[in-house]
Amino acid sequence: MRPLPTSSFAPDGMAAGRGDPERFEGIRRDYTDADVAKLAGSFRVRHTLAEMGANRLWHLLKTEPFVNTLGAMSGNQALQQVKAGLKAIYLSGWQVAADANTAGQMYPDQSLYPVDSVPNVVRRINGALRRADQIERSEGTRDGTYWMAPIVADAEAGFGGPLNAYELMKAMIEAGAAGVHFEDQLASEKKCGHLGGKVLVPISQHIRTLNAARLAADVEGVPTILLCRTDAHSAQLLTADVDERDRPFISGERTPEGFFRITPGKGVAYAIARSLAYAPYADLLWWETSEPSLEEAQQFADAIHREFPGKLLAYNCSPSFNWKKKLPADKIASFQRDIARMGYRFQFVTLAGFHSLNHSMFTLARGYKDRGMAAYSELQQAEFTSEPEGYTATRHQREVGVGYFDAVAMAISGGRSSTTALAGSTEAEQFHDDVHATPAPHHDYDDGLVHSHEWAAGMAANGV
């Protein structure tokens, strides 16, 4: 294998990620530009949402102290996150397995769902965010919200070998994902990072997966953010000892399935060793931890940055941790800022959507069982209370686009439609005090890759 200074191959012969000379600095590709050109075909498709999202996410990672996200299960959850001020979205395979997969089943996080499930939710989230942008623009009430928050999506262990990872990465890009992460578990035995029974693949095998994912992004002409996750901290098994870099961490003992047992007590060191091997192939490194330990986080970050100064890191602020049991209140409050200073620039709560959905519905249902409509009215009043902070879903008809499609109907009919829906509705009568708002100034969009936002204007000034 050899390091090659290739850049991603974009439509019209331009390098994706253009404008930031550091975008692919230190990134290794074990293939050539000629390989990419040969595989890309003659007809190029421009993946606007994926390209725009990747550029936006990279900009945030390089300019914000850290990017903190919550796991979203649906388009509307993502929409509320953006309304509340979050700048990126995380999409967890665990949540897709639990309640958002194309099989229509509830699964544990063991790669049991169909492979198209996560790309499908990426597409749904982008659709909801784009609709929110259309609604706001059609109403003439733009407030500067950047609706198309970049999505970082979970590719698990790739659902197979390198070719499967290649195809999955392409599907993520086609759906509009900005970033995608792959983990170093055996796909056929994949487990949630906080379950037992995890089986790692050799280091060299996971490098092939990362190389496949990067190749797919280059072929599609998108500078997709590639995150690499290792589960070495708590994994107990390894498929094979063919890679000499794995051998210091295995006991030599074999399981009935033929797996090698990993020596206990070496989790942090093994996670570091693996991440150092993966670092040239990934934009961000994520090691799955078993508890929110600042000491271990610092140990890992220091080891990585000794060999790869400035390497971006990611951290799962997991709901599988009992935060109050593990840390005092002041440490919980400062945790994300503390690890950001160590270099953990992308931080996420993987299962926030699952827990917020379940607890909020349980709370409502419990109150409704005993107190009927009084309990529901309290929810409604809480929604009204949140409106000064930017919440708008109290007016649910407007939220999902009734007014927008009224505008579509009026345009089609030359302004003479008599079947528009919002006028005469109970929502218009009971919930809308201000029928018309003063339009905010608006600047025209360009080709869809750079919107009229400060971050984009800065990139444009630099030749993006």
Side-chain angles (χ1 to χ4, degrees):
M1 293 184 180
R2 62 213 186 279
L4 295 166
T6 55
S7 59
S8 64
F9 187 73
D12 306 319
M14 296 189 300
R18 60 200 184 279
D20 184 352
E22 297 181 1
R23 174 59 188 91
F24 295 111
E25 184 178 352
I27 294 299
R28 175 171 173 164
R29 292 165 165 88
D30 296 325
Y31 50 85
T32 67
D33 281 340
D35 292 326
V36 176
K38 179 172 65 176
L39 295 170
S42 303
F43 301 96
R44 309 307 307 284
V45 175
R46 193 163 194 175
H47 302 288
T48 301
L49 294 181
E51 184 178 349
M52 181 175 67
N55 286 332
R56 168 74 170 173
L57 180 58
W58 184 253
H59 173 78
L60 292 171
L61 290 168
K62 300 297 284 188
T63 59
E64 298 284 330
F66 61 97
V67 179
N68 56 335
T69 67
L70 297 171
M73 294 182 67
S74 69
N76 273 282
Q77 282 194 339
L79 191 154
Q80 299 310 318
Q81 292 176 16
V82 175
K83 279 183 179 289
L86 296 184
K87 297 180 179 181
I89 305 296
Y90 179 70
L91 176 54
S92 160
W94 194 106
Q95 294 193 144
V96 171
D99 200 18
N101 59 78
T102 56
Q105 298 291 329
M106 182 168 71
Y107 288 126
D109 187 18
Q110 295 179 234
S111 286
L112 297 171
Y113 58 81
V115 68
D116 66 340
S117 297
V118 172
N120 185 59
V121 181
V122 172
R123 195 172 291 109
R124 288 170 54 191
I125 290 174
N126 275 325
L129 297 179
R130 187 159 185 242
R131 179 72 73 224
D133 175 80
Q134 292 170 332
I135 291 169
E136 188 181 71
R137 188 178 189 187
S138 72
E139 293 174 344
T141 56
R142 300 184 69 83
D143 62 3
T145 299
Y146 186 89
W147 287 106
M148 300 311 299
I151 302 167
V152 175
D154 185 353
E156 304 210 347
F159 286 78
L163 294 181
N164 303 86
Y166 177 88
E167 285 295 294
L168 179 54
M169 185 65 146
K170 286 181 61 179
M172 295 287 199
I173 291 168
E174 290 166 0
V180 182
H181 67 77
F182 290 81
E183 64 205 48
D184 60 358
Q185 291 190 46
L186 176 63
S188 60
E189 295 286 350
K190 182 265 185 303
K191 307 290 192 303
C192 166
H194 299 105
L195 291 175
K198 295 184 292 293
V199 184
L200 302 182
V201 297
I203 290 171
S204 56
Q205 183 172 336
H206 190 55
I207 287 174
R208 286 195 294 274
T209 295
L210 297 174
N211 214 41
R214 182 78 70 186
L215 176 62
D218 287 351
V219 166
E220 293 304 310
V222 179
T224 308
I225 309 300
L226 179 58
L227 298 87
C228 169
R229 165 177 146 185
T230 181
D231 284 274
H233 183 255
S234 62
Q236 300 171 334
L237 304 171
L238 177 72
T239 58
D241 65 349
V242 296
D243 195 311
E244 63 182 13
R245 293 168 290 188
D246 287 313
R247 292 172 192 162
F249 302 97
I250 57 178
S251 66
E253 181 185 355
R254 307 291 289 271
T255 70
E257 301 90 346
F259 301 135
F260 288 82
R261 290 198 181 276
I262 297 169
T263 304
K266 293 190 175 184
V268 177
Y270 198 16
I272 290 170
R274 286 194 151 228
S275 296
L276 288 172
Y278 302 148
Y281 296 89
D283 297 309
L284 286 90
L285 298 174
W286 161 20
W287 68 302
E288 188 73 296
T289 63
S290 300
E291 60 182 358
S293 168
L294 290 168
E295 293 75 18
E296 288 187 348
Q298 187 72 68
Q299 181 183 352
F300 179 88
D302 288 347
I304 298 301
H305 291 148
R306 273 193 294 271
E307 292 197 30
F308 298 93
K311 192 70 180 181
L312 297 176
L313 308 177
Y315 197 96
N316 176 9
C317 299
S318 176
S320 293
F321 307 153
N322 186 331
W323 285 84
K324 192 170 183 179
K325 184 176 180 180
K326 288 293 182 179
L327 294 172
D330 62 325
K331 290 296 185 182
I332 294 174
S334 66
F335 187 84
Q336 291 190 305
R337 295 190 300 274
D338 292 340
I339 64 172
R341 286 190 287 269
M342 303 174 193
Y344 295 92
R345 303 294 285 275
F346 185 73
Q347 303 179 26
F348 44 105
V349 181
T350 46
L351 314 184
F354 176 86
H355 286 283
S356 62
L357 182 154
N358 282 285
H359 187 259
S360 62
M361 180 52 70
F362 177 84
T363 301
L364 173 61
R366 181 85 174 179
Y368 183 71
K369 176 181 73 71
D370 296 331
R371 298 184 293 112
M373 288 309 298
Y376 186 81
S377 179
E378 289 170 3
L379 168 63
Q380 197 172 61
Q381 293 307 307
E383 290 185 280
F384 283 124
T385 300
S386 294
E387 288 186 351
E389 298 175 339
Y391 182 79
T392 59
T394 319
R395 296 157 175 79
H396 49 261
Q397 306 284 17
R398 178 263 172 204
E399 189 80 356
V400 300
V402 170
Y404 175 79
F405 281 96
D406 279 352
V408 172
M410 292 297 285
I412 292 170
S413 66
R416 304 179 63 183
S417 175
S418 59
T419 60
T420 55
L422 196 57
S425 67
T426 56
E427 182 167 298
E429 178 190 357
Q430 299 177 38
F431 290 82
H432 287 268
D433 295 328
D434 53 333
V435 179
H436 298 289
T438 303
H442 174 68
H443 303 285
D444 288 337
Y445 288 31
D446 58 7
D447 66 355
L449 290 177
V450 181
H451 286 43
S452 300
H453 296 271
E454 291 181 4
W455 78 271
M459 294 180 72
N462 291 324
V464 178

